Amino acid sequence: MKPPQFDYHAPGSIEEAVTLLGSYGGDAKVLAGGQSLIPVLNFRLARPGVLIDINRIGALSFIREADGGVAIGATTRQRMIEGSDIVGRRAPLLADATRLIGHLPIRTRGTIGGSLSHADPAAEDPAVVTALDATMVALSKRGERRVPASGFFRSLLTTALEPDELLVRIEFPPTPAGTGTAFVEISRRHGDFALAGVAAQVTLAGDRASEVRLAACGAGPGPIRLAAAEKIVRDGGASAASIEAAAAAAAAGVEPTSDVHASAAYRRDLVRAMTRRALERAVARAAGGTR
Amino acid sequence: MREITGYVGKPLLRREDRRLLHGEGQFVGDIVLPKMVHCAFVRSQVPHARIKGVDFAAARRAPGFVTALSGRDIRNVVTPIAGMQVSIPKGWRDRFHYHIDVPAQQILADDKVNYVGEAYAVVVAEDRYKAEDAAELVEPDFEVLEPVVDVDRALKPGSPVLHAEVGSNVISVMSTKKGDGAAALARAKHRIKRRYYHHRYAAMPMECRAVVADYDIRTDSLTVWSSTQVVHWIRKEIGSILGMPEERVRVIAPDVGGGFGGKGHVYPEDVLVPYLARTLRRPIKYVEDRFEHLVNSAHARDNFHDLEIGFDDDGKIVCIVDDFVIDSGAYSPVGATCAANSIAHLLGPYDIQNYEAKGTLVATNKTSNAPYRGAGRPEAAFAMERAIDIAANSIGLDPILMRLRNMVPPERLPFSVGLPYRDGVPITYDSGDYPQALRRAVEELGGLENFRRRQAEGLAAGRYLGIGVGCYVEGTGVGPFEGASVRLDPSGKIMVAVGANNHGQGHETVFAQVAADVWNVPIDQVVVTTADTAAVPMGYGTIASRSTVTAGSAVVHASAKVKDKVLAIAANMLETPTADLEFRDGAVGVKGVPDLKVTLKEIWWASRPGWDHKRPPDMEAGLEANHYYEPPTVTWSYATNAAIVELDPDTGRVTVEKFVAVHDAGILVNPLLADGQVRGGLVQGIGAALYEEIAYDENGQILMGTLADYLLPTADDTPPITVIHQEIPSPSNPLGVKGLGEGGAIAPPCAITNAVSDALRPFKAEFNATPVRWEQVRKVFAEAGVSTPRGRG
């Protein structure tokens, strides 16, 4: 369980990092919090010739309000996001989800950009950006490229990032007034990857659900937007019957696989339960004004 | 409560804590020696293959390469450790029908590999990174063979046979009986037969195994540090296999980060690494990584019990007939111990007149199966305790009441069971109160009637609560022996060394408590050494819940020998008859005369060889003694575990609301450490019931290669636990102690499966296999069309 040999670079600036990526491209791996990459290296499941450690680039770590929403630098630690007032106000769903990521030591090292770039289908961050239609901003020597969440996750552990591109920040859109959020997941043990999890954001306008956003994790090769379920609640309102129907639609719309922790059928069943709970909680928060 | 006058009985903090908590513990991995090299093993990635060749050409060219060996290179040089590392006494053999034909594992596989993870080559390099780089370049030439992936396949005619020398995949069979099980079954009013499966999981110590060896050419001697529970066993194997006098082999277990039985026997690396040190004339280190630990260190359990219970209308059990099969994996280094334990413990705390049991060990292409905390008892208790619940429910009797009707009452102790223990001595439950333990456990959960009311109210509101208990007895402190050495030092300190090995239990503290009381000295005057073959000539090791009983008794007896001489010398010095003397506060003094005394330091100086000593005439010099305590037989600990669980209909999630253990280990030398031992075992048992599992796929590939797949219970997942100790002394040893190392891990699987089954009684669901999977629980609810009421999710 020792990594194979690699060359190591620790650039001090974004420009330097992008230049290194430009010259090494596919032979390089970017090291952020290391919560996924280091085990992968130790198991020799990846053999990059070069490791580009971006932890020393201060300009990649920030949380700021932007265009009514929030922009977060790629190496911002999940622990910082968890405790951020800005995130709590501007992207409460992300705050809900971040609390469920791993354990405190993991969140203290783990970064949002690392989680999104790694694209583990059971991870929380990919489901949140998918639900919220956040924008991933990638930089290379060729320039900046903005990739919507809907086009970012390609397949298992694979994103739209090109080998020479560095994910530099994530932009979350504004959260409308009257919105409630919830991230609900179930895992074998506290802190494990979810067997299934659902991110929900519901905006109420009177009796109507004017905006409904739902995404699942742990239920397919990547995060899955639960569009059919969203439509049911948007059209039918936040009644118990509507939520139950949406939960059923969510379960029908995912593509889980079986592994040592759960069968595909069980995961699908859990998506139903998690969707129902996430919607109930988000609606209650929207109605109560507590998000 | 007993009055505590000395150190025994006091909840002292561990002496070991200071160094361990300050990060100053010294584990094998911390040992760094000049010119040390490192090794990496090349392990099979297939479960079953014939080895046609191993090509080291590319590995030899790797940077930092030192040497490499295949199984064939050492075939006649480093011969295998005996297939079965324990012996069976005549008293047992006479009462059992058995054949035991356990195959020996090659130090490195030379002809065949028999499981994923079996080493067939070793590479030595300047550091572990380079060793792993070179190991990757080793090219095996394997003829892949059909794997034997389960016992059903293994037992079918035409199955591939793992060990040609055995001739079949059945590597052991044993059976015994008392009364007439078959006849009693035929007469029984009710009989229920089920298959109870206790799954495969493993001891998962925080520190994996590790070996460092250093050869000294001047004295032709080896010093070996191993993360083990059995230093003397390792010394014996190294001595005999490498052809060295045992005296020239010193084996030390420094701080050890847990063992739990998984380090309770000798592994091939324990012999091969010292061989390499001697061959290379360089110190060498092997530290197993977690992947290697999961695939190569022993697994445990994996038992199928086909058990039939016969009982009458009142719930009185008239007979038990059990036929069980153990999936042994490729080898069985501790032989048939677990099977023998299962047979000896299956009847538990109950008075059952007719009993037949047969155990069969079957070889498969999986990692070897060896004792792990409980060692045959958790699987036996699981089968028995599930059977009682099912039987009770079938006649509308509460399972807890059925147990009380069958338990051996305290007034019938000592109780002769009518079977031999594995030490060959007829089993006699020596002391305790089994019904009291059960009643106290249930009371601690709020009482049975109260719970049944809560359960009914919950059910009406869509909540599924269940109660389950697990009761067992455990033979502890088994022989054959344990050694202790006690010596008075010129400083006046009592130097105690024991053959028992400390791997977290707090032996340095516990044996200091015992010795301080025996000598009546302040505890700081006692120095304890554990797990060093140079400190005690003969020792056995820390396995089988035995160290406090056996090593503790050895300390008492060795001390007595030295104290006799000390007293005689003091009598000579004080010119007072020994009858008028007493040990007090680090001295020997005249009774009733506080100022008239000689300190132990003064006594040592009076005892020394040479002129001007003050020994009585004809007394030899030397204030030291070894004692090898040979217990007459085991002493019987027992417990009831009890749990309340709640099930979530939507997800099947099992939440343990509260867990209680009422445990009796006799006199507790250190209640704080005893509590920690029991509690730690309970958490492991809860892990077994709900989280931990090693699975293989249909091709014989192991599916758990990391601790992200093999789920250990963390503090977050541990329910509130209450431990109650019933301190009923054992009459069998001078300290009145019973063993408690393993007990905690025995009953949580049965208590929790019983509780889950109890909660699902409305659907008549039975959980007769471990672990309890939420998925299966959810399936019961889904099939019944039940979900969680709105707003409670």
Side-chain angles (χ1 to χ4, degrees):
Chain A
M1 253 193 227
K2 302 288 184 199
Q5 200 171 323
F6 53 80
D7 288 335
Y8 174 82
H9 296 276
S13 70
I14 295 175
E15 294 68 33
E16 210 184 321
V18 168
T19 303
L20 283 165
L21 264 179
S23 42
Y24 293 112
D27 197 29
K29 276 273 180 195
V30 175
L31 175 67
Q35 298 304 293
S36 301
L37 181 57
I38 296 295
V40 163
L41 291 176
N42 285 345
F43 274 103
R44 301 188 173 211
L45 298 173
R47 296 164 179 276
V50 178
L51 220 55
I52 300 172
D53 181 346
I54 58 171
N55 284 287
R56 294 178 201 184
I57 306 175
L60 284 174
S61 179
F62 60 85
I63 298 171
R64 60 175 172 248
E65 297 186 58
D67 304 326
V70 57
I72 300 179
T75 63
T76 308
R77 309 288 165 185
Q78 289 158 331
R79 182 72 176 144
M80 299 295 292
I81 294 168
E82 183 182 357
S84 160
D85 283 347
I86 297 176
V87 173
R89 279 185 281 114
R90 300 288 178 184
L93 181 62
L94 179 62
D96 290 340
T98 304
R99 280 190 278 276
L100 299 174
I101 298 171
H103 299 269
L104 196 142
I106 291 172
R107 297 196 293 278
T108 302
R109 291 296 303 167
T111 66
I112 184 170
S115 174
L116 295 171
S117 303
H118 184 59
D120 190 301
E124 290 83 357
D125 283 336
V128 172
V129 298
T130 298
L132 297 182
D133 285 319
T135 302
M136 276 24 88
V137 181
L139 190 69
S140 71
K141 285 205 294 187
R142 294 172 287 130
E144 194 175 274
R145 190 163 71 99
R146 300 171 60 79
V147 187
S150 58
F152 187 76
F153 301 101
R154 288 285 169 80
S155 61
L156 188 71
L157 306 176
T158 309
T159 69
L161 288 171
E162 297 293 338
D164 64 341
E165 283 183 320
L166 179 68
L167 177 62
V168 291
R169 71 177 181 277
I170 302 95
E171 295 176 1
F172 292 87
T175 305
T179 295
T181 63
F183 197 107
V184 178
E185 68 178 31
I186 182 168
S187 55
R188 293 275 304 274
R189 298 175 306 179
H190 175 83
D192 282 345
F193 274 123
L195 298 175
V198 170
Q201 177 165 307
V202 177
T203 307
L204 294 179
D207 291 344
R208 245 166 31 79
S210 57
E211 188 181 289
V212 181
R213 296 173 169 278
L214 286 167
C217 65
I224 296 179
R225 188 76 181 257
L226 303 170
E230 288 177 353
K231 185 169 187 305
I232 289 170
V233 181
R234 220 166 28 237
D235 294 348
S239 68
S242 164
I243 287 175
E244 201 61 61
V254 294
E255 317 152 35
T257 50
S258 297
D259 64 19
V260 293
H261 300 303
S263 72
Y266 181 50
R267 285 178 193 273
R268 189 184 295 282
D269 194 31
L270 290 173
V271 167
R272 184 193 53 76
M274 295 303 109
T275 303
R276 175 154 72 81
R277 291 177 188 186
L279 279 170
E280 282 177 1
R281 199 170 299 171
V283 166
R285 286 175 172 176
T290 58
R291 284 183 170 167
Chain B
M1 281 299 284
R2 279 181 319 114
E3 191 192 354
I4 308 295
T5 52
Y7 291 101
V8 169
K10 284 206 175 118
L12 299 186
L13 291 171
R14 284 188 304 185
R15 292 181 154 191
E16 296 90 330
D17 284 345
R18 187 181 164 79
R19 67 173 188 270
L20 294 175
L21 298 179
H22 286 208
E24 292 164 345
Q26 286 285 314
F27 298 85
V28 175
D30 294 316
I31 295 169
V32 176
L33 300 172
K35 293 177 67 187
M36 190 162 76
V37 291
H38 298 257
C39 57
F41 287 86
V42 190
R43 301 188 178 279
S44 177
Q45 298 180 7
V46 297
H48 201 191
R50 190 158 310 284
I51 304 170
K52 294 161 75 181
V54 179
D55 182 356
F56 292 119
R60 285 184 204 287
R61 291 193 292 272
F65 175 88
V66 174
T67 193
L69 295 171
S70 70
R72 257 164 234 185
D73 295 331
I74 59 164
R75 176 182 285 171
N76 298 314
V77 186
V78 192
T79 52
I81 301 161
M84 176 160 157
Q85 297 181 22
V86 293
S87 63
I88 300 174
K90 184 171 184 308
W92 185 92
R93 283 181 273 137
D94 288 348
R95 276 293 308 275
F96 271 72
H97 292 287
Y98 72 98
H99 92 80
I100 295 175
D101 204 356
V102 177
Q105 181 177 13
Q106 301 293 317
I107 298 292
L108 289 170
D110 63 352
D111 175 41
K112 275 203 318 169
V113 286
N114 282 319
Y115 59 92
V116 173
E118 183 166 20
Y120 60 91
V122 62
V123 174
V124 182
E126 296 295 339
D127 65 39
R128 171 79 186 200
Y129 291 81
K130 294 191 173 78
E132 288 193 21
D133 290 346
E136 275 193 324
L137 300 172
V138 173
E139 288 285 347
D141 182 5
F142 281 175
E143 177 195 342
V144 172
L145 303 173
E146 183 191 339
V148 180
V149 296
D150 58 50
V151 293
D152 286 343
R153 177 76 183 103
L155 292 172
K156 276 203 185 96
S159 166
V161 172
L162 266 76
H163 303 289
E165 69 276 24
V166 179
S168 125
N169 289 323
V170 174
I171 56 174
S172 292
V173 182
M174 63 179 66
S175 62
T176 195
K177 63 192 290 187
K178 71 170 209 169
D180 190 335
L185 212 46
R187 285 195 311 271
K189 185 77 188 292
H190 307 278
R191 48 197 284 187
I192 293 179
K193 186 174 182 179
R194 294 282 189 276
R195 167 163 282 203
Y196 303 98
Y197 176 59
H198 199 108
H199 72 297
R200 178 173 282 247
Y201 50 102
M204 203 55 61
M206 199 181 294
E207 183 202 19
C208 299
R209 292 187 305 108
V211 187
V212 168
D214 188 22
Y215 176 69
D216 182 61
I217 190 163
R218 184 179 68 79
T219 56
D220 185 26
S221 62
L222 274 165
T223 305
V224 179
W225 294 265
S226 179
S227 181
T228 183
Q229 302 171 220
V230 285
V231 289
H232 285 86
W233 295 27
I234 293 179
R235 182 180 67 172
K236 169 172 149 264
E237 297 296 341
I238 293 173
S240 68
I241 294 171
L242 302 188
M244 298 171 73
E246 288 194 24
E247 193 62 33
R248 289 298 197 192
V249 180
R250 181 182 182 188
V251 182
I252 300 163
D255 284 322
V256 172
F260 313 115
K263 298 176 183 172
H265 63 273
V266 186
Y267 284 84
E269 296 94 336
D270 290 317
V271 176
L272 185 59
V273 173
Y275 168 77
L276 286 163
R278 191 177 68 175
T279 308
L280 295 169
R281 307 276 160 93
R282 289 179 75 176
I284 179 166
K285 179 184 253 185
Y286 168 62
V287 177
E288 181 188 66
D289 65 33
R290 184 61 67 184
F291 174 74
E292 292 181 288
H293 186 81
L294 277 158
V295 300
N296 187 56
S297 282
H299 296 172
R301 318 277 198 256
D302 211 347
N303 283 208
F304 301 84
H305 284 254
D306 290 318
L307 183 145
E308 187 158 13
I309 181 170
F311 52 102
D312 64 22
D313 285 335
D314 299 329
K316 178 71 192 143
I317 301 168
V318 295
C319 63
I320 294 288
V321 177
D322 185 25
D323 186 350
F324 65 96
V325 175
I326 300 177
D327 184 335
S328 283
Y331 306 96
S332 185
V334 192
T337 295
C338 288
N341 277 350
S342 287
I343 291 173
H345 289 83
L346 202 123
L347 296 180
Y350 310 109
D351 176 13
I352 298 167
Q353 291 307 309
N354 301 291
Y355 174 51
E356 285 178 24
K358 177 180 169 208
T360 305
L361 275 68
V362 177
T364 61
N365 289 115
K366 296 178 188 169
T367 302
S368 302
N369 190 335
Y372 159 46
R373 203 170 197 170
R377 302 171 184 95
E379 21 310 40
F382 176 69
M384 185 70 186
E385 293 293 287
R386 279 297 300 135
I388 293 178
D389 266 39
I390 293 168
N393 286 328
S394 76
I395 54 170
L397 176 64
D398 197 289
I400 290 165
L401 300 178
M402 177 155 167
R403 283 176 174 79
L404 288 170
R405 283 185 195 171
N406 286 281
M407 277 180 167
V408 177
E411 60 273 16
R412 289 184 59 199
L413 265 54
F415 178 83
S416 176
V417 173
L419 294 167
Y421 198 65
R422 82 170 195 265
D423 59 10
V425 180
I427 293 172
T428 304
Y429 297 165
D430 53 349
S431 72
D433 189 335
Y434 310 142
Q436 185 185 56
L438 174 55
R439 281 192 290 263
R440 285 175 79 176
V442 174
E443 277 162 27
E444 186 63 26
L445 289 179
L448 185 58
E449 280 178 32
N450 186 35
F451 175 78
R452 293 292 178 209
R453 192 168 58 245
R454 257 189 80 199
Q455 186 180 37
E457 288 165 5
L459 197 56
R463 292 183 62 179
Y464 292 84
L465 295 160
I467 192 169
V469 301
C471 308
Y472 68 86
V473 295
E474 183 198 3
T476 65
V478 70
F481 79 97
E482 190 54 275
S485 163
V486 172
R487 188 160 48 84
L488 185 59
D489 187 77
S491 64
K493 298 226 174 192
I494 314 290
M495 310 301 288
V496 173
V498 288
N501 292 226
N502 190 11
H503 34 278
Q505 300 90 336
H507 285 177
E508 290 167 38
T509 310
V510 167
F511 296 125
Q513 288 178 264
V514 170
D517 278 6
V518 169
W519 284 86
N520 210 351
V521 296
I523 195 164
D524 290 342
Q525 207 167 330
V526 181
V527 179
V528 177
T529 300
T530 68
D532 180 351
T533 59
V536 186
M538 293 188 286
Y540 201 72
T542 292
I543 54 169
S545 307
R546 62 192 296 280
S547 290
T548 303
V549 178
T550 58
S553 298
V555 169
V556 172
H557 289 297
S559 293
K561 295 178 190 173
V562 182
K563 280 172 68 184
D564 282 350
K565 285 179 85 173
V566 164
L567 208 56
I569 295 166
N572 206 30
M573 293 168 79
L574 293 164
E575 296 178 357
T576 306
T578 54
D580 295 336
L581 298 178
E582 63 185 0
F583 284 84
R584 64 184 187 224
D585 201 26
V588 177
V590 179
K591 287 177 190 166
V593 190
D595 293 340
L596 205 51
K597 62 176 186 182
V598 283
T599 65
L600 291 176
K601 187 172 175 178
E602 290 165 338
I603 294 170
W604 186 88
W605 284 99
S607 79
R608 73 196 187 281
W611 46 74
D612 296 341
H613 68 75
K614 297 207 180 100
R615 299 193 304 272
D618 303 329
M619 180 189 276
E620 269 187 65
L623 292 178
E624 59 209 33
N626 295 324
H627 184 85
Y628 302 101
Y629 178 71
E630 300 165 81
T633 184
V634 290
T635 176
W636 289 85
S637 299
Y638 60 90
T640 290
N641 291 5
I644 292 176
V645 302
E646 178 161 8
L647 311 180
D648 174 16
D650 260 352
T651 62
R653 180 194 284 273
V654 178
T655 303
V656 180
E657 182 182 284
K658 188 169 183 189
F659 200 96
V660 177
V662 181
H663 187 273
D664 185 358
I667 300 296
L668 299 178
V669 175
N670 185 321
L672 182 67
L673 298 184
D675 210 71
Q677 277 272 37
V678 173
R679 204 169 281 269
L682 293 172
V683 173
Q684 286 185 308
I686 291 166
L690 294 171
Y691 300 106
E692 300 178 43
E693 180 180 15
I694 293 172
Y696 284 80
D697 71 10
E698 65 279 12
N699 302 312
Q701 280 293 338
I702 185 167
L703 298 176
M704 279 67 181
T706 74
L707 294 185
D709 301 321
Y710 188 89
L711 304 184
L712 291 163
T714 65
D716 281 319
D717 310 294
T718 301
I721 294 174
T722 303
V723 178
I724 297 169
H725 299 281
Q726 304 205 130
E727 277 191 84
I728 300 175
S730 166
S732 314
N733 60 68
L735 292 166
V737 295
K738 308 172 192 173
L740 53 65
E742 296 170 276
I746 295 173
C750 43
I752 288 173
T753 45
N754 278 340
V756 169
S757 301
D758 184 57
L760 293 173
R761 259 196 309 165
F763 315 109
K764 299 198 176 347
E766 292 179 8
F767 276 70
N768 297 335
T770 55
V772 174
R773 293 190 179 84
W774 298 352
E775 184 163 355
Q776 298 168 309
V777 176
R778 167 61 193 152
K779 196 158 172 256
V780 174
F781 286 116
E783 283 170 2
V786 175
S787 65
T788 305
R790 194 173 152 74
R792 271 240 329 282

